Amino acid sequence: MDVGLGKKLTSDEIKVGVVLDLKTNFSKICLTSLNMSLFDFYQTHPHYHTRLALHVRDSMEDVVQASTAALDLINNAQVSAIIGPGSSMQAEFMIRMANKFQVPTISFSATSPLLKSIDNSYFVRATMDDSFQVEAIAAIVKSFGWRSVVAIYVDNELGESIMHSLSDNLEDVEVHRSVISPVARDDQIQMVLYKLKTEQTRVFVINIDSSLGFREGYVWLLSNGMTHMMKHNGRSLETMQGLLGVRSHVPQSKELEDFHLRWKRRFETENPVGDGTEPNVFALWAYDSLTALAMAVEKTNTMRTFGDSSYGPHLIEALSDVEFKGLAGEFKLINRQLESSTFEIINVIGDEERIIGSWAPSSDRSSNKKTSYLGKRFGPVIWPGNSNVVPKGWEIPTSGKKIKVGVPVKKGFLNFVDIKTNPISNVTTTKGYAIDIFEAALKELPYSVIPQYYGFESPENNYNHLVQQLYEGKWDAVVGDITITANRSLYVDFTLPYSESGVSMVVPLRDNKNKNAWVFLQPWSLELWVTTGCFFVVIGFVVWLFEHRVNTDFRGPPHHQIGTSFWFSFSTMNFAHREKVVSNLARFVVVVWCFVVFVLTQSYTANLTSFLTVQRLQPSATNVEDLIRNGESVGYQHGTFVHDFLRDLNFSEPQLKSFASAQECDDLLSKGTSKGGIAAAFDEVAYLKDIVSHNCSKYAMVEPSFKTVGFEPSFKTAGFGFAFPKNSPMTKDVSIAILKVTQGKEMRRIENKWFNRLTSECPDPNADLSSNRLSLSSFWGLFLIAGVASFLALLVFVALFLYEHRYTLCNDPEGSMWRKLKSLFRIFNEKDINSHTFKSSAVHNVSSPIISQCTPSPLTVQIRPWPRSMSLNREFELRRACFVMREERFAMQPKHDKDGESDIESGAER
């Protein structure tokens, strides 16, 4: 049928059909908005040549009736466009009819994403697609870290479409379904909710209109439609405390405020039994939809007449180009669908809906990238039960708090895990290192969990079969010495490891009889040796400076003085120096230096002892390539992945021998390759530490190495962990609990219980000896003290010496500096007769102004130049006095002994 061949209409009137469920409160709200939009538009646009005339039909909440009403409007009322219907299910049939008759159909409430898959050339969605709000809901779930949600939806096309969108956007979150019939009674809904109560998940995404209870520990997340309709379902907000919801953002404006006031008066007039209902966002979209249609009709009629058969295509084209600022925000169609806007995230607190965040969709929906984000929170979130603690999103089911735990049945290393079942009483008992850590972690959880253990003996002792059982749903968890591997992580989730990670090897120890001849140099680093030697020289020189003029032990020929200085300095190492020190400055320096030497020698002795002890026992092998090349046999624990690991290292199959327990490994290592045993055992660090802890004197755990440059395979593994099903909320909680256990005192108690000796007490033969050397950085403080003490003492000595012989620098102003320095050096090289150490000398120390002008010598008297101002007579008297003094001294001079020193001088020195 071609609508353009019907009756001729007036030039100003364009008929528009409206299909709504007139008995529902929702349709009454929207119909009031449509009537107001029609009145407001032509009041503000009196110059328009067209006028829309609404023809309303009741769809009676039935899909077939909605299609019948639309067909009646097209055939009998000859409408140019249809507004409606109110639901997505009714819209699907009307879309097909609109396409057939080329009548544009505008819906302000059909939100199903599935409608896009239909050929909808004449369908305009003037509302928000539900796929946008699902992305906002997913952003909230990910923001709070919930790993599992339950989607409660109506069993129809709209519910299914939302379910698909939610699953697509929550890729890493487990989504459970809970379907409610559209005609479900209250008691049936209560049964569904009670069933959900017995499950673990406590995060509910709701897209139905039903009465729900709100309890602490639950999260109720409402869809856009339900959030907007909360105030229109006959319930007070106080009964919905703590729920979250997404709501399309409507910008505030004066026009919107005025509309609210006028709408409320008109609605109460048209519906006298009103209950204080207010217009929701769908009513605003209905208002804007009719405004857009009126603008499009005016534009189309300026170019076409209604009788033209192409009226429908031109109207849909004009409608697609309409843009204006409406009551609900910017009205702009993209592919005949309203452009998405920002969503508000609300939290019901008291009697208000508080905005706690916002979300905006990606600008490029054609790409796989979603730039969803939870915006700034403007206030604290209050959860159901008036709680401010973020719910975990799950609880232990009320139907039973016991969880089934699979445990491997082992033949060896039973201190890790051991499970036995009494064949008579059928009672299962479990014990071991892994079991104690798991149960200690369960005690740290904020809820009670009772594990029920079930033994599983896997073929070939391969734990992959046990993990497979968990993946297939036989267990709720798997506990034991389960290695975390990449392949297993594809099927289950692992907690954080509770043991050390990595693969290593154990080798026998051998006595290193041919010790290193230069091991005595290893306790100190090179810079410490050099620094110490330099300080011995410096201290010897400083002490010689202080003692040279006052101590006969530091006098004599130059080579004798040098030897004495070095001998004195180095003899302080054993505090065996026999030379007396008479100068206070020298004594001060020697005391400080003796303290430094004491610390150095004690540290050297302790470190050398450590070096000699470690070097006594050396591992028999540290290089994997040598083991392979020499054809040595190596061992691995039966059934573990280490077998494949060794094959990847190019060990041949005849070189590989398995062991099932620590005792078997000990036997194989004791025999060696020549007697049918093994030269090394490869396994994870936890097992090897157990072996070594019982045999510290026989074996050592060393890190495998390779000589070949560039060939360095990874010996790293993730360690032992507990396994849970994918997306299990217990994984995160148990991981946090494991951290609390391993970082506390409980871990030490468990280790001491199951391992006789801590492996940390065993020496590490593979340790880098050079890293234990004492370096200069360990003693720079001592050297600083010795250096500062020597420098200060030297400053004091120089100051006193210059002050004592200041006449040499001051009494000869015309003398050169070099000459003065030579005089000072000559004085320094002589004995200090005034020192208390030479008071017993036979030489008289005559002090007079005349004698002070002379420098006596055993053989000659040197007369200093006299000042020019002195008279000749005075100069003559002084020279004569000096000559007489020289004669007296010469007369007293005894004969020299064979060493060239006089008896008096020798006596003075003695």
Side-chain angles (χ1 to χ4, degrees), residues 850-851 853-857 859-863 866 875-891:
I850 298 177
I851 297 177
Q853 297 293 327
C854 307
T855 303
S857 176
L859 299 178
T860 61
V861 176
Q862 299 177 0
I863 302 177
W866 310 102
E875 179 179 352
F876 176 77
E877 292 176 358
L878 289 175
R879 290 184 179 276
R880 181 177 181 182
C882 289
F883 178 79
V884 171
M885 179 180 177
R886 182 259 180 190
E887 293 293 330
E888 291 176 352
R889 286 178 174 256
F890 184 79

PDB file of all heavy atoms in Angstrom, residues 850-851 853-857 859-863 866 875-891:
ATOM      1  N   ILE A 850     125.545  37.424  75.190  1.00  0.00           N
ATOM      2  CA  ILE A 850     126.726  37.334  74.355  1.00  0.00           C
ATOM      3  C   ILE A 850     126.801  35.982  73.683  1.00  0.00           C
ATOM      4  O   ILE A 850     127.035  35.872  72.491  1.00  0.00           O
ATOM      5  CB  ILE A 850     127.993  37.589  75.216  1.00  0.00           C
ATOM      6  CG1 ILE A 850     127.959  38.995  75.811  1.00  0.00           C
ATOM      7  CG2 ILE A 850     129.259  37.363  74.411  1.00  0.00           C
ATOM      8  CD1 ILE A 850     129.136  39.316  76.733  1.00  0.00           C
ATOM      9  N   ILE A 851     126.577  34.913  74.467  1.00  0.00           N
ATOM     10  CA  ILE A 851     126.712  33.566  73.919  1.00  0.00           C
ATOM     11  C   ILE A 851     125.630  33.287  72.887  1.00  0.00           C
ATOM     12  O   ILE A 851     125.820  32.521  71.959  1.00  0.00           O
ATOM     13  CB  ILE A 851     126.687  32.541  75.062  1.00  0.00           C
ATOM     14  CG1 ILE A 851     127.885  32.762  75.977  1.00  0.00           C
ATOM     15  CG2 ILE A 851     126.682  31.123  74.543  1.00  0.00           C
ATOM     16  CD1 ILE A 851     127.924  31.857  77.189  1.00  0.00           C
ATOM     17  N   GLN A 853     124.773  34.951  70.597  1.00  0.00           N
ATOM     18  CA  GLN A 853     125.148  35.386  69.267  1.00  0.00           C
ATOM     19  C   GLN A 853     126.033  34.381  68.558  1.00  0.00           C
ATOM     20  O   GLN A 853     126.349  34.558  67.400  1.00  0.00           O
ATOM     21  CB  GLN A 853     125.881  36.725  69.368  1.00  0.00           C
ATOM     22  CG  GLN A 853     125.019  37.847  69.925  1.00  0.00           C
ATOM     23  CD  GLN A 853     123.908  38.208  68.977  1.00  0.00           C
ATOM     24  OE1 GLN A 853     124.098  38.124  67.777  1.00  0.00           O
ATOM     25  NE2 GLN A 853     122.768  38.573  69.525  1.00  0.00           N
ATOM     26  N   CYS A 854     126.473  33.357  69.284  1.00  0.00           N
ATOM     27  CA  CYS A 854     127.393  32.377  68.729  1.00  0.00           C
ATOM     28  C   CYS A 854     126.696  31.046  68.572  1.00  0.00           C
ATOM     29  O   CYS A 854     125.842  30.688  69.383  1.00  0.00           O
ATOM     30  CB  CYS A 854     128.618  32.189  69.644  1.00  0.00           C
ATOM     31  SG  CYS A 854     129.434  33.768  70.034  1.00  0.00           S
ATOM     32  N   THR A 855     127.104  30.313  67.578  1.00  0.00           N
ATOM     33  CA  THR A 855     126.603  28.955  67.380  1.00  0.00           C
ATOM     34  C   THR A 855     127.745  28.007  67.628  1.00  0.00           C
ATOM     35  O   THR A 855     128.589  27.800  66.762  1.00  0.00           O
ATOM     36  CB  THR A 855     126.064  28.782  65.958  1.00  0.00           C
ATOM     37  OG1 THR A 855     125.054  29.747  65.726  1.00  0.00           O
ATOM     38  CG2 THR A 855     125.494  27.388  65.767  1.00  0.00           C
ATOM     39  N   PRO A 856     127.869  27.449  68.824  1.00  0.00           N
ATOM     40  CA  PRO A 856     129.027  26.635  69.161  1.00  0.00           C
ATOM     41  C   PRO A 856     129.016  25.318  68.442  1.00  0.00           C
ATOM     42  O   PRO A 856     127.974  24.807  68.102  1.00  0.00           O
ATOM     43  CB  PRO A 856     128.896  26.445  70.666  1.00  0.00           C
ATOM     44  CG  PRO A 856     127.441  26.563  70.928  1.00  0.00           C
ATOM     45  CD  PRO A 856     126.911  27.540  69.944  1.00  0.00           C
ATOM     46  N   SER A 857     130.198  24.818  68.258  1.00  0.00           N
ATOM     47  CA  SER A 857     130.402  23.516  67.641  1.00  0.00           C
ATOM     48  C   SER A 857     131.550  22.871  68.353  1.00  0.00           C
ATOM     49  O   SER A 857     132.405  23.534  68.916  1.00  0.00           O
ATOM     50  CB  SER A 857     130.713  23.680  66.153  1.00  0.00           C
ATOM     51  OG  SER A 857     131.003  22.427  65.605  1.00  0.00           O
ATOM     52  N   LEU A 859     134.217  21.684  67.304  1.00  0.00           N
ATOM     53  CA  LEU A 859     135.518  22.009  66.726  1.00  0.00           C
ATOM     54  C   LEU A 859     135.656  23.478  66.394  1.00  0.00           C
ATOM     55  O   LEU A 859     136.751  24.020  66.460  1.00  0.00           O
ATOM     56  CB  LEU A 859     135.752  21.182  65.463  1.00  0.00           C
ATOM     57  CG  LEU A 859     135.763  19.663  65.700  1.00  0.00           C
ATOM     58  CD1 LEU A 859     135.958  18.952  64.354  1.00  0.00           C
ATOM     59  CD2 LEU A 859     136.861  19.280  66.671  1.00  0.00           C
ATOM     60  N   THR A 860     134.578  24.121  66.014  1.00  0.00           N
ATOM     61  CA  THR A 860     134.675  25.516  65.576  1.00  0.00           C
ATOM     62  C   THR A 860     133.592  26.338  66.203  1.00  0.00           C
ATOM     63  O   THR A 860     132.598  25.828  66.697  1.00  0.00           O
ATOM     64  CB  THR A 860     134.546  25.611  64.052  1.00  0.00           C
ATOM     65  OG1 THR A 860     133.262  25.109  63.689  1.00  0.00           O
ATOM     66  CG2 THR A 860     135.619  24.815  63.362  1.00  0.00           C
ATOM     67  N   VAL A 861     133.870  27.636  66.205  1.00  0.00           N
ATOM     68  CA  VAL A 861     132.862  28.598  66.673  1.00  0.00           C
ATOM     69  C   VAL A 861     132.521  29.485  65.506  1.00  0.00           C
ATOM     70  O   VAL A 861     133.400  30.178  64.981  1.00  0.00           O
ATOM     71  CB  VAL A 861     133.391  29.436  67.857  1.00  0.00           C
ATOM     72  CG1 VAL A 861     132.373  30.486  68.244  1.00  0.00           C
ATOM     73  CG2 VAL A 861     133.707  28.542  69.039  1.00  0.00           C
ATOM     74  N   GLN A 862     131.277  29.436  65.076  1.00  0.00           N
ATOM     75  CA  GLN A 862     130.845  30.276  63.967  1.00  0.00           C
ATOM     76  C   GLN A 862     130.269  31.547  64.527  1.00  0.00           C
ATOM     77  O   GLN A 862     129.375  31.544  65.336  1.00  0.00           O
ATOM     78  CB  GLN A 862     129.786  29.548  63.124  1.00  0.00           C
ATOM     79  CG  GLN A 862     130.294  28.258  62.495  1.00  0.00           C
ATOM     80  CD  GLN A 862     129.209  27.561  61.743  1.00  0.00           C
ATOM     81  OE1 GLN A 862     128.093  28.046  61.708  1.00  0.00           O
ATOM     82  NE2 GLN A 862     129.556  26.441  61.130  1.00  0.00           N
ATOM     83  N   ILE A 863     130.809  32.656  64.079  1.00  0.00           N
ATOM     84  CA  ILE A 863     130.374  33.965  64.560  1.00  0.00           C
ATOM     85  C   ILE A 863     129.423  34.551  63.541  1.00  0.00           C
ATOM     86  O   ILE A 863     129.737  34.662  62.361  1.00  0.00           O
ATOM     87  CB  ILE A 863     131.577  34.896  64.766  1.00  0.00           C
ATOM     88  CG1 ILE A 863     132.561  34.242  65.776  1.00  0.00           C
ATOM     89  CG2 ILE A 863     131.123  36.260  65.258  1.00  0.00           C
ATOM     90  CD1 ILE A 863     133.827  35.062  65.978  1.00  0.00           C
ATOM     91  N   TRP A 866     127.346  40.673  62.678  1.00  0.00           N
ATOM     92  CA  TRP A 866     126.837  41.577  63.705  1.00  0.00           C
ATOM     93  C   TRP A 866     126.048  42.719  63.065  1.00  0.00           C
ATOM     94  O   TRP A 866     126.301  43.097  61.932  1.00  0.00           O
ATOM     95  CB  TRP A 866     128.008  42.180  64.507  1.00  0.00           C
ATOM     96  CG  TRP A 866     128.957  41.122  64.991  1.00  0.00           C
ATOM     97  CD1 TRP A 866     130.148  40.799  64.477  1.00  0.00           C
ATOM     98  CD2 TRP A 866     128.746  40.255  66.081  1.00  0.00           C
ATOM     99  NE1 TRP A 866     130.738  39.757  65.154  1.00  0.00           N
ATOM    100  CE2 TRP A 866     129.853  39.400  66.183  1.00  0.00           C
ATOM    101  CE3 TRP A 866     127.712  40.082  67.026  1.00  0.00           C
ATOM    102  CZ2 TRP A 866     129.997  38.427  67.137  1.00  0.00           C
ATOM    103  CZ3 TRP A 866     127.859  39.107  67.980  1.00  0.00           C
ATOM    104  CH2 TRP A 866     128.984  38.289  68.034  1.00  0.00           C
ATOM    105  N   GLU A 875     131.716  45.201  69.142  1.00  0.00           N
ATOM    106  CA  GLU A 875     131.867  44.033  68.293  1.00  0.00           C
ATOM    107  C   GLU A 875     133.117  43.246  68.685  1.00  0.00           C
ATOM    108  O   GLU A 875     133.113  42.017  68.725  1.00  0.00           O
ATOM    109  CB  GLU A 875     131.967  44.475  66.832  1.00  0.00           C
ATOM    110  CG  GLU A 875     132.152  43.296  65.880  1.00  0.00           C
ATOM    111  CD  GLU A 875     132.214  43.753  64.442  1.00  0.00           C
ATOM    112  OE1 GLU A 875     131.962  44.940  64.203  1.00  0.00           O
ATOM    113  OE2 GLU A 875     132.501  42.906  63.583  1.00  0.00           O
ATOM    114  N   PHE A 876     134.202  43.991  68.991  1.00  0.00           N
ATOM    115  CA  PHE A 876     135.432  43.312  69.366  1.00  0.00           C
ATOM    116  C   PHE A 876     135.246  42.520  70.649  1.00  0.00           C
ATOM    117  O   PHE A 876     135.732  41.405  70.777  1.00  0.00           O
ATOM    118  CB  PHE A 876     136.545  44.365  69.536  1.00  0.00           C
ATOM    119  CG  PHE A 876     137.845  43.783  70.022  1.00  0.00           C
ATOM    120  CD1 PHE A 876     138.683  43.091  69.164  1.00  0.00           C
ATOM    121  CD2 PHE A 876     138.208  43.885  71.380  1.00  0.00           C
ATOM    122  CE1 PHE A 876     139.867  42.546  69.610  1.00  0.00           C
ATOM    123  CE2 PHE A 876     139.409  43.325  71.808  1.00  0.00           C
ATOM    124  CZ  PHE A 876     140.248  42.658  70.938  1.00  0.00           C
ATOM    125  N   GLU A 877     134.531  43.113  71.620  1.00  0.00           N
ATOM    126  CA  GLU A 877     134.314  42.423  72.896  1.00  0.00           C
ATOM    127  C   GLU A 877     133.486  41.137  72.676  1.00  0.00           C
ATOM    128  O   GLU A 877     133.772  40.105  73.296  1.00  0.00           O
ATOM    129  CB  GLU A 877     133.581  43.342  73.872  1.00  0.00           C
ATOM    130  CG  GLU A 877     134.439  44.528  74.327  1.00  0.00           C
ATOM    131  CD  GLU A 877     133.653  45.490  75.226  1.00  0.00           C
ATOM    132  OE1 GLU A 877     132.427  45.217  75.444  1.00  0.00           O
ATOM    133  OE2 GLU A 877     134.228  46.458  75.683  1.00  0.00           O
ATOM    134  N   LEU A 878     132.521  41.234  71.852  1.00  0.00           N
ATOM    135  CA  LEU A 878     131.685  40.059  71.608  1.00  0.00           C
ATOM    136  C   LEU A 878     132.469  38.960  70.928  1.00  0.00           C
ATOM    137  O   LEU A 878     132.337  37.770  71.256  1.00  0.00           O
ATOM    138  CB  LEU A 878     130.462  40.427  70.762  1.00  0.00           C
ATOM    139  CG  LEU A 878     129.387  41.261  71.471  1.00  0.00           C
ATOM    140  CD1 LEU A 878     128.299  41.653  70.477  1.00  0.00           C
ATOM    141  CD2 LEU A 878     128.782  40.500  72.633  1.00  0.00           C
ATOM    142  N   ARG A 879     133.275  39.321  69.947  1.00  0.00           N
ATOM    143  CA  ARG A 879     134.064  38.305  69.259  1.00  0.00           C
ATOM    144  C   ARG A 879     135.049  37.648  70.231  1.00  0.00           C
ATOM    145  O   ARG A 879     135.285  36.448  70.170  1.00  0.00           O
ATOM    146  CB  ARG A 879     134.817  38.925  68.086  1.00  0.00           C
ATOM    147  CG  ARG A 879     133.895  39.343  66.954  1.00  0.00           C
ATOM    148  CD  ARG A 879     134.707  39.873  65.778  1.00  0.00           C
ATOM    149  NE  ARG A 879     133.841  40.259  64.684  1.00  0.00           N
ATOM    150  CZ  ARG A 879     133.368  39.424  63.758  1.00  0.00           C
ATOM    151  NH1 ARG A 879     133.696  38.157  63.824  1.00  0.00           N
ATOM    152  NH2 ARG A 879     132.570  39.865  62.787  1.00  0.00           N
ATOM    153  N   ARG A 880     135.663  38.433  71.097  1.00  0.00           N
ATOM    154  CA  ARG A 880     136.611  37.867  72.055  1.00  0.00           C
ATOM    155  C   ARG A 880     135.905  36.919  73.017  1.00  0.00           C
ATOM    156  O   ARG A 880     136.442  35.854  73.351  1.00  0.00           O
ATOM    157  CB  ARG A 880     137.283  39.004  72.833  1.00  0.00           C
ATOM    158  CG  ARG A 880     138.314  38.485  73.838  1.00  0.00           C
ATOM    159  CD  ARG A 880     139.018  39.612  74.526  1.00  0.00           C
ATOM    160  NE  ARG A 880     139.997  39.075  75.456  1.00  0.00           N
ATOM    161  CZ  ARG A 880     140.764  39.830  76.260  1.00  0.00           C
ATOM    162  NH1 ARG A 880     140.653  41.168  76.224  1.00  0.00           N
ATOM    163  NH2 ARG A 880     141.643  39.276  77.087  1.00  0.00           N
ATOM    164  N   ALA A 881     134.704  37.296  73.449  1.00  0.00           N
ATOM    165  CA  ALA A 881     133.952  36.422  74.368  1.00  0.00           C
ATOM    166  C   ALA A 881     133.626  35.101  73.703  1.00  0.00           C
ATOM    167  O   ALA A 881     133.723  34.038  74.324  1.00  0.00           O
ATOM    168  CB  ALA A 881     132.677  37.129  74.813  1.00  0.00           C
ATOM    169  N   CYS A 882     133.288  35.167  72.455  1.00  0.00           N
ATOM    170  CA  CYS A 882     132.978  33.935  71.733  1.00  0.00           C
ATOM    171  C   CYS A 882     134.220  33.064  71.590  1.00  0.00           C
ATOM    172  O   CYS A 882     134.166  31.834  71.688  1.00  0.00           O
ATOM    173  CB  CYS A 882     132.406  34.244  70.352  1.00  0.00           C
ATOM    174  SG  CYS A 882     130.730  34.920  70.406  1.00  0.00           S
ATOM    175  N   PHE A 883     135.384  33.725  71.349  1.00  0.00           N
ATOM    176  CA  PHE A 883     136.608  32.976  71.180  1.00  0.00           C
ATOM    177  C   PHE A 883     136.989  32.287  72.472  1.00  0.00           C
ATOM    178  O   PHE A 883     137.400  31.125  72.490  1.00  0.00           O
ATOM    179  CB  PHE A 883     137.721  33.936  70.723  1.00  0.00           C
ATOM    180  CG  PHE A 883     139.042  33.261  70.576  1.00  0.00           C
ATOM    181  CD1 PHE A 883     139.328  32.505  69.460  1.00  0.00           C
ATOM    182  CD2 PHE A 883     140.012  33.350  71.575  1.00  0.00           C
ATOM    183  CE1 PHE A 883     140.528  31.862  69.310  1.00  0.00           C
ATOM    184  CE2 PHE A 883     141.226  32.701  71.414  1.00  0.00           C
ATOM    185  CZ  PHE A 883     141.507  31.962  70.297  1.00  0.00           C
ATOM    186  N   VAL A 884     136.832  33.003  73.608  1.00  0.00           N
ATOM    187  CA  VAL A 884     137.153  32.410  74.911  1.00  0.00           C
ATOM    188  C   VAL A 884     136.227  31.222  75.173  1.00  0.00           C
ATOM    189  O   VAL A 884     136.659  30.173  75.659  1.00  0.00           O
ATOM    190  CB  VAL A 884     137.024  33.469  76.019  1.00  0.00           C
ATOM    191  CG1 VAL A 884     137.146  32.828  77.396  1.00  0.00           C
ATOM    192  CG2 VAL A 884     138.076  34.545  75.838  1.00  0.00           C
ATOM    193  N   MET A 885     134.984  31.410  74.854  1.00  0.00           N
ATOM    194  CA  MET A 885     134.014  30.309  75.066  1.00  0.00           C
ATOM    195  C   MET A 885     134.382  29.101  74.244  1.00  0.00           C
ATOM    196  O   MET A 885     134.276  27.951  74.687  1.00  0.00           O
ATOM    197  CB  MET A 885     132.604  30.780  74.689  1.00  0.00           C
ATOM    198  CG  MET A 885     131.565  29.696  74.851  1.00  0.00           C
ATOM    199  SD  MET A 885     129.936  30.282  74.397  1.00  0.00           S
ATOM    200  CE  MET A 885     129.031  28.777  74.618  1.00  0.00           C
ATOM    201  N   ARG A 886     134.824  29.342  73.040  1.00  0.00           N
ATOM    202  CA  ARG A 886     135.219  28.233  72.178  1.00  0.00           C
ATOM    203  C   ARG A 886     136.402  27.493  72.759  1.00  0.00           C
ATOM    204  O   ARG A 886     136.458  26.261  72.727  1.00  0.00           O
ATOM    205  CB  ARG A 886     135.526  28.803  70.796  1.00  0.00           C
ATOM    206  CG  ARG A 886     135.916  27.759  69.768  1.00  0.00           C
ATOM    207  CD  ARG A 886     137.394  27.741  69.590  1.00  0.00           C
ATOM    208  NE  ARG A 886     137.799  26.747  68.610  1.00  0.00           N
ATOM    209  CZ  ARG A 886     139.054  26.384  68.385  1.00  0.00           C
ATOM    210  NH1 ARG A 886     140.031  26.920  69.117  1.00  0.00           N
ATOM    211  NH2 ARG A 886     139.333  25.492  67.452  1.00  0.00           N
ATOM    212  N   GLU A 887     137.396  28.234  73.324  1.00  0.00           N
ATOM    213  CA  GLU A 887     138.556  27.615  73.912  1.00  0.00           C
ATOM    214  C   GLU A 887     138.175  26.778  75.123  1.00  0.00           C
ATOM    215  O   GLU A 887     138.712  25.682  75.336  1.00  0.00           O
ATOM    216  CB  GLU A 887     139.582  28.693  74.325  1.00  0.00           C
ATOM    217  CG  GLU A 887     140.207  29.428  73.143  1.00  0.00           C
ATOM    218  CD  GLU A 887     141.086  28.490  72.331  1.00  0.00           C
ATOM    219  OE1 GLU A 887     141.647  27.559  72.936  1.00  0.00           O
ATOM    220  OE2 GLU A 887     141.173  28.652  71.103  1.00  0.00           O
ATOM    221  N   GLU A 888     137.258  27.299  75.914  1.00  0.00           N
ATOM    222  CA  GLU A 888     136.843  26.545  77.090  1.00  0.00           C
ATOM    223  C   GLU A 888     136.147  25.242  76.678  1.00  0.00           C
ATOM    224  O   GLU A 888     136.383  24.196  77.273  1.00  0.00           O
ATOM    225  CB  GLU A 888     135.893  27.389  77.935  1.00  0.00           C
ATOM    226  CG  GLU A 888     136.580  28.577  78.602  1.00  0.00           C
ATOM    227  CD  GLU A 888     135.604  29.443  79.360  1.00  0.00           C
ATOM    228  OE1 GLU A 888     134.377  29.177  79.225  1.00  0.00           O
ATOM    229  OE2 GLU A 888     136.029  30.335  80.084  1.00  0.00           O
ATOM    230  N   ARG A 889     135.355  25.330  75.706  1.00  0.00           N
ATOM    231  CA  ARG A 889     134.659  24.120  75.252  1.00  0.00           C
ATOM    232  C   ARG A 889     135.630  23.123  74.662  1.00  0.00           C
ATOM    233  O   ARG A 889     135.483  21.915  74.835  1.00  0.00           O
ATOM    234  CB  ARG A 889     133.586  24.457  74.210  1.00  0.00           C
ATOM    235  CG  ARG A 889     132.353  25.111  74.827  1.00  0.00           C
ATOM    236  CD  ARG A 889     131.353  25.462  73.744  1.00  0.00           C
ATOM    237  NE  ARG A 889     130.129  25.953  74.323  1.00  0.00           N
ATOM    238  CZ  ARG A 889     128.981  25.273  74.424  1.00  0.00           C
ATOM    239  NH1 ARG A 889     128.937  24.056  73.972  1.00  0.00           N
ATOM    240  NH2 ARG A 889     127.920  25.811  74.975  1.00  0.00           N
ATOM    241  N   PHE A 890     136.643  23.621  73.933  1.00  0.00           N
ATOM    242  CA  PHE A 890     137.612  22.729  73.319  1.00  0.00           C
ATOM    243  C   PHE A 890     138.435  22.007  74.374  1.00  0.00           C
ATOM    244  O   PHE A 890     138.779  20.837  74.239  1.00  0.00           O
ATOM    245  CB  PHE A 890     138.513  23.534  72.376  1.00  0.00           C
ATOM    246  CG  PHE A 890     139.473  22.669  71.630  1.00  0.00           C
ATOM    247  CD1 PHE A 890     139.060  21.946  70.526  1.00  0.00           C
ATOM    248  CD2 PHE A 890     140.802  22.536  72.064  1.00  0.00           C
ATOM    249  CE1 PHE A 890     139.935  21.137  69.842  1.00  0.00           C
ATOM    250  CE2 PHE A 890     141.660  21.713  71.360  1.00  0.00           C
ATOM    251  CZ  PHE A 890     141.258  21.023  70.252  1.00  0.00           C
ATOM    252  N   ALA A 891     138.704  22.731  75.474  1.00  0.00           N
ATOM    253  CA  ALA A 891     139.483  22.129  76.556  1.00  0.00           C
ATOM    254  C   ALA A 891     138.672  21.020  77.246  1.00  0.00           C
ATOM    255  O   ALA A 891     139.234  20.036  77.716  1.00  0.00           O
ATOM    256  CB  ALA A 891     139.898  23.203  77.567  1.00  0.00           C
TER     257      ALA A 891
END
